[in-house]
Amino acid sequence: YDLLECLLRNKNVAMSREQLLSTVWGYEYDPITDTKEKFECTINWPHAPLTEFPGGKIYPMTQMFALSQDSIIVVDGVMYLAMYFYGFNCYSATREYAVSDFSKYYSTYIFSSEDNGRTWNWLSQLIPTSDIKFSEGLCEPNLNVMPDGSIMILMRSGGDSKPCYWARSTNMCKSWSVIKKFDDIGVLPQMVTLSSGVSIATYGRPYMRIRATSDPTGKKWQEAQTFDLASGENNSSCYYTDLLALAD
């Protein structure tokens, strides 16, 4: 936001404050020519939020997308992105009804792009409800293509010792099953499906857990294994993990 203020004071800036805050920029890297192209994205998002943080700082939409780029999956040439942010009920027909009691908590929003990130279309939203135990909402989402072709999503609901939740989609993220608890902890949940058909999930805090399943739908998982990566008073861990498939 401070950078935007500096830009706005520059007489050469042709964009308004609103344009700067709502414009999303993308970059495409060409490994053959070793060049990078910058382009402006078209965002089709009904009831898109503009969030003010303490101190009067506004969070630009391009940063919202940038923070979610690790949540992108590609299926048959279509990119799917899971983003979390404070926002409104995008299923509402009017702006008046878009505001809900849960707008002050995180929701997870799903977008798709069929033109390599030039255009992003809102597809669906997972909204925290009163039957979900959460302190932050539904955030830090991770998408995974399961062996049966469905899409599974894992989501954090809070910090230390707060549950993580799951849902699945059988129509490419257009709609989701009922949200259910996956485990009683779960920051930054991650998933990967190996070519053997086994899927792995990791998540954490105050320790790390690993779960596996050979169920192609992802509905049934084995009991979690718990690991303490950090011990001792001065040796802590955020338990933010990532997964990389090395073999079948």
Side-chain angles (χ1 to χ4, degrees), residues 22 94-95 153:
S22 61
T94 65
R95 180 176 178 177
I153 188 169

Side-chain angles (χ1 to χ4, degrees), residues 1 23 42 48 50 76 84 90 92 101 109 118 129 132 155 177 179 183 194 197 199 218 222 228 238 245-247:
Y1 180 76
T23 301
T42 298
L50 179 64
D76 296 329
Y84 71 95
C90 296
S92 299
D101 293 338
Y109 302 90
R118 268 69 176 174
T129 56
I132 297 175
M155 298 166 288
S177 64
I179 300 171
D183 205 337
L194 307 175
S199 299
Q222 295 179 354
D228 188 1
C238 64
L246 299 177

